[in-house]
Amino acid sequence: EIPPSLQKPWRELVLNRAGQEFEYKHPLVGNILKLLYTGVTRCIEKLFFVETSSSTAGKATIRWLTQKGHGGEGSFATQNNIDDIEAMSMTADEFVGEGINNAELSQSVEDLDEVLLLLERASWCFEQADSTDLAAKARMQHSSVLFRRELETSRDQNVVQNHAVIEMRAAKMMESLSRE
């Protein structure tokens, strides 16, 4: 835990606002950085930072770790809700990958109920990753499959519907699909 007296200096360091005399004024921050370096370099696959209580230094560090644009790349870390254990089992990138897998698999399945289930899973994964664009695409595909199932059901039952209504719904569906 970073002592209260070093909270603001840590924030200034993380946000790249430390002056030239920073090391002289705050030598204990150097010790904390050595501990952090040891933890980061010794982890094998994943490293979890857990903040047990809100702090100035913690907020600044989380902001820095989760911002995009470090040398043109993505963020160093993702922020997870610790109340949702299932969501913590994967990173945002892993959720996106799993969502894409479910969406691709839905294209190869013929049973519409199974397709709907796969698209629901894809939407959920994209939502867990905060990928609103991909989640919207999956929901739109889901709506399209629901419409297709409705058309097949009405054809199977020999129900004659107003063709203008069906054409209008199909046109709106195609417009939405093309936008996504």
Side-chain angles (χ1 to χ4, degrees), residues 126-151:
F126 295 141
E127 288 165 2
Q128 296 306 304
D130 287 328
S131 181
T132 54
D133 291 345
L134 291 174
K137 289 177 194 300
R139 283 192 300 274
M140 193 63 241
Q141 289 292 339
H142 187 271
S143 298
S144 171
V145 173
L146 283 173
F147 183 61
R148 187 174 0 147
R149 186 171 70 175
E150 184 180 326
L151 289 175

Side-chain angles (χ1 to χ4, degrees), residues 52-142:
T52 56
S53 61
S54 183
S55 68
T56 303
K59 288 177 186 175
T61 303
I62 289 169
R63 187 175 344 134
W64 182 78
L65 287 170
T66 56
Q67 76 183 1
K68 297 197 185 301
H70 300 286
E73 298 178 16
S75 62
F76 289 120
T78 57
Q79 190 172 0
N80 294 316
N81 178 2
I82 62 168
D83 295 328
D84 188 356
I85 297 299
E86 187 174 330
M88 287 182 57
S89 63
M90 293 191 291
T91 66
D93 290 339
E94 290 169 329
F95 272 116
V96 168
E98 189 62 27
I100 290 171
N101 289 341
N102 280 299
E104 286 178 343
L105 186 58
S106 74
Q107 299 298 310
S108 63
V109 174
E110 294 197 19
D111 178 33
L112 292 182
D113 289 329
E114 193 173 341
V115 171
L116 290 170
L117 181 64
L118 288 165
L119 289 171
E120 286 170 8
R121 285 183 192 158
S123 294
W124 183 82
C125 288
F126 295 141
E127 288 165 2
Q128 296 306 304
D130 287 328
S131 181
T132 54
D133 291 345
L134 291 174
K137 289 177 194 300
R139 283 192 300 274
M140 193 63 241
Q141 289 292 339
H142 187 271

